[in-house]
Amino acid sequence: EPEVTQTPSHQVTQMGQEVILRCVPISNHLYFYWYRQILGQKVEFLVSFYNNEISEKSEIFDDQFSVERPDGSNFTLKIRSTKLEDSAMYFCASRRTSGSPIDTQYFGPGTRLTVL
Amino acid sequence: GQNIDQPTEMTATEGAIVQINCTYQTSGFNGLFWYQQHAGEAPTFLSYNVLDGLEEKGRFSSFLSRSKGYSYLLLKELQMKDSASYLCAVWDTNAGKSTFGDGTTLTVKP
């Protein structure tokens, strides 16, 4: 069964450093998402991406964040200058279409980001 | 605004039935999803409801009342492996995203 994959599974970085989290969505999916979950808290929407551009973003997704689909398979989240409060699990998700809820979002296994 | 409420914690006994409630007040609604999440892992899809009524899927059932902004997830014949967080999420087509509740941590005891 096709699945969303993410790398790395765990990233440790120093405050102020740039990190890139990588995701490979399911191949025939058209909509891509990043969510994050701070330890012990709820899953929070960051950004959605379709047709090579951001379609929706949350207040969390400020100028420090950017997303890119550099080729036909990868979908990346870049944090330019990490802060301690960026420590969280980051989940990538993909979805075949947007109009019908029947096409559910499939989540990747997540990348645990630890900022020291 | 978006407001999704679930109980924080529930405890039940192996073999029993448990119902996890979710109420929502959201600016857009096109469907409600339930996910299961074990600690340190990604949410995994359990069920969705678009129309009012009960959807059954093995040991899991989910119910929706759109007029009441209410859903529940029913788990039957509980097993120890069902100990996890259960996340209620509202899908908004216009916003193009899911909004998650805080999740309900279910502990199944022998």
Side-chain angles (χ1 to χ4, degrees), chain B residues 24 26-32 49-50 64 66 89-93:
Chain B
Y24 62 89
T26 56
S27 54
F29 178 87
N30 297 99
L32 189 141
N49 294 74
V50 180
L64 176 67
R66 288 171 297 170
V90 169
W91 172 254
D92 183 345
T93 295

Side-chain angles (χ1 to χ4, degrees), chain A residues 9-59:
Chain A
S9 57
H10 193 182
Q11 174 91 45
V12 180
T13 190
Q14 296 290 325
M15 190 170 57
Q17 295 296 304
E18 175 183 286
V19 294
I20 298 176
L21 310 183
R22 292 184 167 78
C23 168
V24 179
I26 295 173
S27 62
N28 65 344
H29 285 192
L30 303 176
Y31 293 82
F32 314 116
Y33 307 83
W34 283 101
Y35 290 83
R36 80 170 185 192
Q37 187 175 32
I38 295 170
L39 186 64
Q41 298 186 23
K42 67 178 177 182
V43 176
E44 298 174 291
F45 169 78
L46 291 178
V47 66
S48 59
F49 191 87
Y50 169 71
N51 199 27
N52 283 321
E53 61 183 27
I54 291 173
S55 44
E56 187 75 25
K57 61 182 181 179
S58 72
E59 293 174 352

Side-chain angles (χ1 to χ4, degrees), chain B residues 57-87:
Chain B
K57 204 174 180 182
R59 294 190 300 114
F60 296 85
S61 304
S62 57
F63 171 84
L64 176 67
S65 168
R66 288 171 297 170
S67 61
K68 295 181 180 177
Y70 167 69
S71 174
Y72 67 72
L73 179 70
L74 194 71
L75 294 80
K76 302 175 188 175
E77 302 169 16
L78 282 172
Q79 302 174 9
M80 299 299 290
K81 66 178 183 179
D82 296 329
S83 292
S85 284
Y86 291 85
L87 314 181

